[in-house]
Amino acid sequence: MIIGSHVSIRDGYTGAAERAVANQASAFQYFPKNPRSLSIKEFDREDAKNCSSFCLEHQLYSVAHTPYSTSLTPVIDKQELTIASLLNDLEIADACGSIGVVVHYGSQISKTDPLASYHLMLDILNSVLSQWNGSSLILLENNAGTKGALGTTLEELVQIRNLCGYPEKIGFCLDTCHAFASGLWNGENTEELIAKGESLGYWEQLKVIHLNNSKYPTGSKKDRHANIFNSSIGYINADQLKELVGASVLAGIPLILETPDDEGISHKEEIEMIKQKWNQKFLENFEC
């Protein structure tokens, strides 16, 4: 099982990797720069190089996540800044040896033209990826459906990748809370979801899973994460999560916790609990 959590870069990129190892993790996620700004970061390249070497030495997987304000459907006066910011994120992720950069799917921008958002997303992606030749990928994350967000179906995610001029530079990130909140997955339709993903070729391009419980019921379109084993708050049964992420087609995909780290359980403790409770299932699937 490859599992970790989101960690801070307050001690640099290498410091983030070291924190992940201290948490007994085999993977981690980080913001490559200020999570509340699209400003371009002049990053410490030596630190990033050391992070990459450290991860190789410790067999540690990493993935970056774009700042909160990043959107693939930005307003006109933010489009060039968004493109520059995404390229900056990719450059940092690549220097750190990361799989890619997670970015949320876009939102509806027109009440009269349902295709306008998709056209803009393709324009932004093509502008970014035509300038990008590194190894790190853009990882499109499914949305919870909050405030008109698109990307709540596997069909949308796969189609944008297919229509992009550079599909080989795009992968996917599945967020279990988002899937539950949007109604894509309700905890009881796992076999159906797995079959759909196989028919669309989605799982072949899945590079990371955000492993999160949900503080609201399925179909609520509310994006609030809960801890995996907190049955008093989380609406997803831990066994349902285990069934989904333990499916054989998902074997070897890094699991990243974005759960609360201050609600009675730390990420280190949660990682250890998951290993103890789930690891045998993952070993069986890996062997298959």
Side-chain angles (χ1 to χ4, degrees), residues 233-253:
I233 296 178
Y235 274 82
I236 309 176
N237 184 287
D239 286 338
Q240 294 174 327
L241 281 166
K242 176 183 174 182
E243 180 186 14
L244 176 59
V245 302
S248 58
V249 292
L250 275 64
I253 303 296

PDB file of all heavy atoms in Angstrom, residues 233-253:
ATOM      1  N   ILE A 233     -19.046  11.178  12.379  1.00  0.00           N
ATOM      2  CA  ILE A 233     -19.070  12.367  11.525  1.00  0.00           C
ATOM      3  C   ILE A 233     -19.107  11.996  10.050  1.00  0.00           C
ATOM      4  O   ILE A 233     -19.869  12.556   9.269  1.00  0.00           O
ATOM      5  CB  ILE A 233     -17.849  13.274  11.804  1.00  0.00           C
ATOM      6  CG1 ILE A 233     -17.898  13.813  13.239  1.00  0.00           C
ATOM      7  CG2 ILE A 233     -17.795  14.433  10.811  1.00  0.00           C
ATOM      8  CD1 ILE A 233     -16.707  14.669  13.612  1.00  0.00           C
ATOM      9  N   GLY A 234     -18.290  11.035   9.653  1.00  0.00           N
ATOM     10  CA  GLY A 234     -18.203  10.669   8.244  1.00  0.00           C
ATOM     11  C   GLY A 234     -19.385   9.842   7.765  1.00  0.00           C
ATOM     12  O   GLY A 234     -19.855   8.949   8.471  1.00  0.00           O
ATOM     13  N   TYR A 235     -19.845  10.143   6.548  1.00  0.00           N
ATOM     14  CA  TYR A 235     -20.991   9.437   5.972  1.00  0.00           C
ATOM     15  C   TYR A 235     -20.577   8.237   5.121  1.00  0.00           C
ATOM     16  O   TYR A 235     -21.424   7.447   4.722  1.00  0.00           O
ATOM     17  CB  TYR A 235     -21.822  10.394   5.114  1.00  0.00           C
ATOM     18  CG  TYR A 235     -22.841  11.176   5.923  1.00  0.00           C
ATOM     19  CD1 TYR A 235     -22.467  12.324   6.617  1.00  0.00           C
ATOM     20  CD2 TYR A 235     -24.166  10.758   6.005  1.00  0.00           C
ATOM     21  CE1 TYR A 235     -23.391  13.050   7.359  1.00  0.00           C
ATOM     22  CE2 TYR A 235     -25.102  11.466   6.743  1.00  0.00           C
ATOM     23  CZ  TYR A 235     -24.704  12.610   7.417  1.00  0.00           C
ATOM     24  OH  TYR A 235     -25.626  13.305   8.165  1.00  0.00           O
ATOM     25  N   ILE A 236     -19.285   8.103   4.842  1.00  0.00           N
ATOM     26  CA  ILE A 236     -18.831   6.956   4.069  1.00  0.00           C
ATOM     27  C   ILE A 236     -18.325   5.895   5.035  1.00  0.00           C
ATOM     28  O   ILE A 236     -17.433   6.161   5.844  1.00  0.00           O
ATOM     29  CB  ILE A 236     -17.702   7.327   3.089  1.00  0.00           C
ATOM     30  CG1 ILE A 236     -18.078   8.544   2.243  1.00  0.00           C
ATOM     31  CG2 ILE A 236     -17.395   6.138   2.175  1.00  0.00           C
ATOM     32  CD1 ILE A 236     -16.967   9.025   1.321  1.00  0.00           C
ATOM     33  N   ASN A 237     -18.875   4.714   4.936  1.00  0.00           N
ATOM     34  CA  ASN A 237     -18.423   3.608   5.773  1.00  0.00           C
ATOM     35  C   ASN A 237     -16.993   3.242   5.375  1.00  0.00           C
ATOM     36  O   ASN A 237     -16.665   3.169   4.200  1.00  0.00           O
ATOM     37  CB  ASN A 237     -19.351   2.411   5.573  1.00  0.00           C
ATOM     38  CG  ASN A 237     -19.017   1.248   6.481  1.00  0.00           C
ATOM     39  OD1 ASN A 237     -18.026   0.563   6.273  1.00  0.00           O
ATOM     40  ND2 ASN A 237     -19.855   1.031   7.478  1.00  0.00           N
ATOM     41  N   ALA A 238     -16.135   3.024   6.360  1.00  0.00           N
ATOM     42  CA  ALA A 238     -14.736   2.704   6.088  1.00  0.00           C
ATOM     43  C   ALA A 238     -14.591   1.472   5.199  1.00  0.00           C
ATOM     44  O   ALA A 238     -13.681   1.401   4.364  1.00  0.00           O
ATOM     45  CB  ALA A 238     -13.969   2.500   7.395  1.00  0.00           C
ATOM     46  N   ASP A 239     -15.481   0.509   5.358  1.00  0.00           N
ATOM     47  CA  ASP A 239     -15.421  -0.693   4.520  1.00  0.00           C
ATOM     48  C   ASP A 239     -15.750  -0.370   3.066  1.00  0.00           C
ATOM     49  O   ASP A 239     -15.245  -1.021   2.145  1.00  0.00           O
ATOM     50  CB  ASP A 239     -16.387  -1.754   5.039  1.00  0.00           C
ATOM     51  CG  ASP A 239     -15.887  -2.415   6.321  1.00  0.00           C
ATOM     52  OD1 ASP A 239     -14.663  -2.369   6.561  1.00  0.00           O
ATOM     53  OD2 ASP A 239     -16.715  -2.958   7.068  1.00  0.00           O
ATOM     54  N   GLN A 240     -16.607   0.643   2.842  1.00  0.00           N
ATOM     55  CA  GLN A 240     -16.915   1.062   1.475  1.00  0.00           C
ATOM     56  C   GLN A 240     -15.704   1.719   0.821  1.00  0.00           C
ATOM     57  O   GLN A 240     -15.416   1.484  -0.357  1.00  0.00           O
ATOM     58  CB  GLN A 240     -18.098   2.033   1.494  1.00  0.00           C
ATOM     59  CG  GLN A 240     -19.409   1.390   1.953  1.00  0.00           C
ATOM     60  CD  GLN A 240     -20.526   2.412   2.112  1.00  0.00           C
ATOM     61  OE1 GLN A 240     -20.291   3.564   2.474  1.00  0.00           O
ATOM     62  NE2 GLN A 240     -21.753   1.982   1.854  1.00  0.00           N
ATOM     63  N   LEU A 241     -14.996   2.536   1.583  1.00  0.00           N
ATOM     64  CA  LEU A 241     -13.767   3.139   1.070  1.00  0.00           C
ATOM     65  C   LEU A 241     -12.731   2.060   0.762  1.00  0.00           C
ATOM     66  O   LEU A 241     -12.062   2.107  -0.277  1.00  0.00           O
ATOM     67  CB  LEU A 241     -13.204   4.129   2.088  1.00  0.00           C
ATOM     68  CG  LEU A 241     -13.859   5.505   2.139  1.00  0.00           C
ATOM     69  CD1 LEU A 241     -13.444   6.251   3.401  1.00  0.00           C
ATOM     70  CD2 LEU A 241     -13.493   6.318   0.903  1.00  0.00           C
ATOM     71  N   LYS A 242     -12.616   1.111   1.662  1.00  0.00           N
ATOM     72  CA  LYS A 242     -11.657   0.014   1.476  1.00  0.00           C
ATOM     73  C   LYS A 242     -11.985  -0.771   0.210  1.00  0.00           C
ATOM     74  O   LYS A 242     -11.085  -1.157  -0.554  1.00  0.00           O
ATOM     75  CB  LYS A 242     -11.699  -0.898   2.694  1.00  0.00           C
ATOM     76  CG  LYS A 242     -10.823  -2.137   2.588  1.00  0.00           C
ATOM     77  CD  LYS A 242     -10.998  -3.002   3.834  1.00  0.00           C
ATOM     78  CE  LYS A 242     -10.265  -4.322   3.716  1.00  0.00           C
ATOM     79  NZ  LYS A 242     -10.474  -5.188   4.894  1.00  0.00           N
ATOM     80  N   GLU A 243     -13.275  -1.027  -0.024  1.00  0.00           N
ATOM     81  CA  GLU A 243     -13.684  -1.775  -1.212  1.00  0.00           C
ATOM     82  C   GLU A 243     -13.318  -1.024  -2.481  1.00  0.00           C
ATOM     83  O   GLU A 243     -12.836  -1.617  -3.455  1.00  0.00           O
ATOM     84  CB  GLU A 243     -15.196  -2.032  -1.193  1.00  0.00           C
ATOM     85  CG  GLU A 243     -15.683  -2.816  -2.411  1.00  0.00           C
ATOM     86  CD  GLU A 243     -17.189  -2.948  -2.478  1.00  0.00           C
ATOM     87  OE1 GLU A 243     -17.891  -2.215  -1.733  1.00  0.00           O
ATOM     88  OE2 GLU A 243     -17.671  -3.762  -3.277  1.00  0.00           O
ATOM     89  N   LEU A 244     -13.507   0.296  -2.478  1.00  0.00           N
ATOM     90  CA  LEU A 244     -13.216   1.091  -3.667  1.00  0.00           C
ATOM     91  C   LEU A 244     -11.721   1.165  -3.938  1.00  0.00           C
ATOM     92  O   LEU A 244     -11.255   0.757  -5.011  1.00  0.00           O
ATOM     93  CB  LEU A 244     -13.785   2.505  -3.515  1.00  0.00           C
ATOM     94  CG  LEU A 244     -13.455   3.483  -4.659  1.00  0.00           C
ATOM     95  CD1 LEU A 244     -13.979   2.960  -5.993  1.00  0.00           C
ATOM     96  CD2 LEU A 244     -14.013   4.865  -4.353  1.00  0.00           C
ATOM     97  N   VAL A 245     -10.962   1.681  -2.985  1.00  0.00           N
ATOM     98  CA  VAL A 245      -9.534   1.892  -3.247  1.00  0.00           C
ATOM     99  C   VAL A 245      -8.745   0.588  -3.225  1.00  0.00           C
ATOM    100  O   VAL A 245      -7.592   0.553  -3.673  1.00  0.00           O
ATOM    101  CB  VAL A 245      -8.929   2.910  -2.261  1.00  0.00           C
ATOM    102  CG1 VAL A 245      -9.654   4.233  -2.358  1.00  0.00           C
ATOM    103  CG2 VAL A 245      -8.948   2.399  -0.829  1.00  0.00           C
ATOM    104  N   GLY A 246      -9.364  -0.490  -2.722  1.00  0.00           N
ATOM    105  CA  GLY A 246      -8.710  -1.783  -2.732  1.00  0.00           C
ATOM    106  C   GLY A 246      -9.024  -2.613  -3.960  1.00  0.00           C
ATOM    107  O   GLY A 246      -8.566  -3.752  -4.074  1.00  0.00           O
ATOM    108  N   ALA A 247      -9.778  -2.058  -4.909  1.00  0.00           N
ATOM    109  CA  ALA A 247     -10.095  -2.780  -6.145  1.00  0.00           C
ATOM    110  C   ALA A 247      -8.809  -3.090  -6.901  1.00  0.00           C
ATOM    111  O   ALA A 247      -7.864  -2.290  -6.909  1.00  0.00           O
ATOM    112  CB  ALA A 247     -11.033  -1.950  -7.014  1.00  0.00           C
ATOM    113  N   SER A 248      -8.749  -4.225  -7.552  1.00  0.00           N
ATOM    114  CA  SER A 248      -7.518  -4.671  -8.205  1.00  0.00           C
ATOM    115  C   SER A 248      -7.040  -3.692  -9.274  1.00  0.00           C
ATOM    116  O   SER A 248      -5.832  -3.535  -9.478  1.00  0.00           O
ATOM    117  CB  SER A 248      -7.717  -6.063  -8.811  1.00  0.00           C
ATOM    118  OG  SER A 248      -8.789  -6.071  -9.749  1.00  0.00           O
ATOM    119  N   VAL A 249      -7.962  -3.009  -9.960  1.00  0.00           N
ATOM    120  CA  VAL A 249      -7.548  -2.078 -11.017  1.00  0.00           C
ATOM    121  C   VAL A 249      -6.898  -0.824 -10.442  1.00  0.00           C
ATOM    122  O   VAL A 249      -6.287  -0.044 -11.177  1.00  0.00           O
ATOM    123  CB  VAL A 249      -8.745  -1.666 -11.914  1.00  0.00           C
ATOM    124  CG1 VAL A 249      -9.238  -2.842 -12.722  1.00  0.00           C
ATOM    125  CG2 VAL A 249      -9.866  -1.044 -11.100  1.00  0.00           C
ATOM    126  N   LEU A 250      -7.023  -0.626  -9.130  1.00  0.00           N
ATOM    127  CA  LEU A 250      -6.420   0.538  -8.484  1.00  0.00           C
ATOM    128  C   LEU A 250      -5.157   0.171  -7.704  1.00  0.00           C
ATOM    129  O   LEU A 250      -4.586   1.013  -7.009  1.00  0.00           O
ATOM    130  CB  LEU A 250      -7.419   1.210  -7.542  1.00  0.00           C
ATOM    131  CG  LEU A 250      -8.397   2.219  -8.165  1.00  0.00           C
ATOM    132  CD1 LEU A 250      -9.320   1.537  -9.158  1.00  0.00           C
ATOM    133  CD2 LEU A 250      -9.224   2.901  -7.088  1.00  0.00           C
ATOM    134  N   ALA A 251      -4.715  -1.077  -7.821  1.00  0.00           N
ATOM    135  CA  ALA A 251      -3.531  -1.523  -7.091  1.00  0.00           C
ATOM    136  C   ALA A 251      -2.323  -0.675  -7.471  1.00  0.00           C
ATOM    137  O   ALA A 251      -2.058  -0.427  -8.644  1.00  0.00           O
ATOM    138  CB  ALA A 251      -3.256  -2.992  -7.386  1.00  0.00           C
ATOM    139  N   GLY A 252      -1.580  -0.217  -6.459  1.00  0.00           N
ATOM    140  CA  GLY A 252      -0.366   0.533  -6.704  1.00  0.00           C
ATOM    141  C   GLY A 252      -0.563   2.031  -6.883  1.00  0.00           C
ATOM    142  O   GLY A 252       0.410   2.760  -7.063  1.00  0.00           O
ATOM    143  N   ILE A 253      -1.810   2.506  -6.827  1.00  0.00           N
ATOM    144  CA  ILE A 253      -2.075   3.941  -6.950  1.00  0.00           C
ATOM    145  C   ILE A 253      -1.859   4.595  -5.579  1.00  0.00           C
ATOM    146  O   ILE A 253      -2.444   4.167  -4.592  1.00  0.00           O
ATOM    147  CB  ILE A 253      -3.518   4.215  -7.418  1.00  0.00           C
ATOM    148  CG1 ILE A 253      -3.802   3.520  -8.754  1.00  0.00           C
ATOM    149  CG2 ILE A 253      -3.764   5.721  -7.540  1.00  0.00           C
ATOM    150  CD1 ILE A 253      -2.981   4.024  -9.899  1.00  0.00           C
TER     151      ILE A 253
END
